[in-house]
Amino acid sequence: WTKGVPVEVVPFAWRAVLKKLQGQGSKDAKLRMAVAKAGPVVTDNGNFIIDAPFGLIHDPAKCLRDIKLITGVVEVGLFCNMAEIAYFGCEDGSVTVRTK
């Protein structure tokens, strides 16, 4: 996923969160802008999304913790240790299964 880790933030804190993410190594982090309307994308909860590319993440759980500790962050699009099995649909119609 080349756009980066999606980070949901409360609107009043997005600038401070953006600076923190850039300081943590996501130099190209940016507020996700809407396509069909003016302004940023707004979630169902009225929050904004920042896309924070970190490149290859060697320790996703640590990255998740570091981002979640930033004041103003609501949720992070890294889902560590939440699944025991994953199903991947292939182009040929087959399914590949990965277990923990």
Side-chain angles (χ1 to χ4, degrees):
W1 180 251
T2 58
K3 290 184 181 182
V5 176
V7 180
E8 183 178 3
V9 299
V10 291
F12 67 84
W14 78 266
R15 284 185 180 90
V17 172
L18 184 68
K19 280 186 174 185
K20 281 280 202 180
L21 291 168
Q22 290 170 337
Q24 288 182 354
S26 182
K27 304 282 185 234
D28 296 324
K30 61 184 177 189
L31 185 64
R32 186 183 296 178
M33 299 305 286
V35 176
K37 71 168 191 85
V41 169
V42 178
T43 68
D44 292 342
N45 294 322
N47 298 316
F48 294 166
I49 302 289
I50 293 175
D51 292 311
F54 287 96
L56 180 62
I57 300 172
H58 295 286
D59 189 348
K62 181 184 181 319
C63 184
L64 172 63
R65 279 191 309 275
D66 291 346
I67 296 172
K68 288 283 277 193
L69 287 172
I70 300 172
T71 301
V73 170
V74 177
E75 195 53 77
V76 180
L78 291 173
F79 305 100
C80 300
N81 301 316
M82 292 179 71
E84 305 251 340
I85 191 166
Y87 297 89
F88 298 90
C90 303
E91 285 184 9
D92 65 1
S94 65
V95 176
T96 302
V97 179
R98 269 183 83 179
T99 58
K100 201 170 184 182

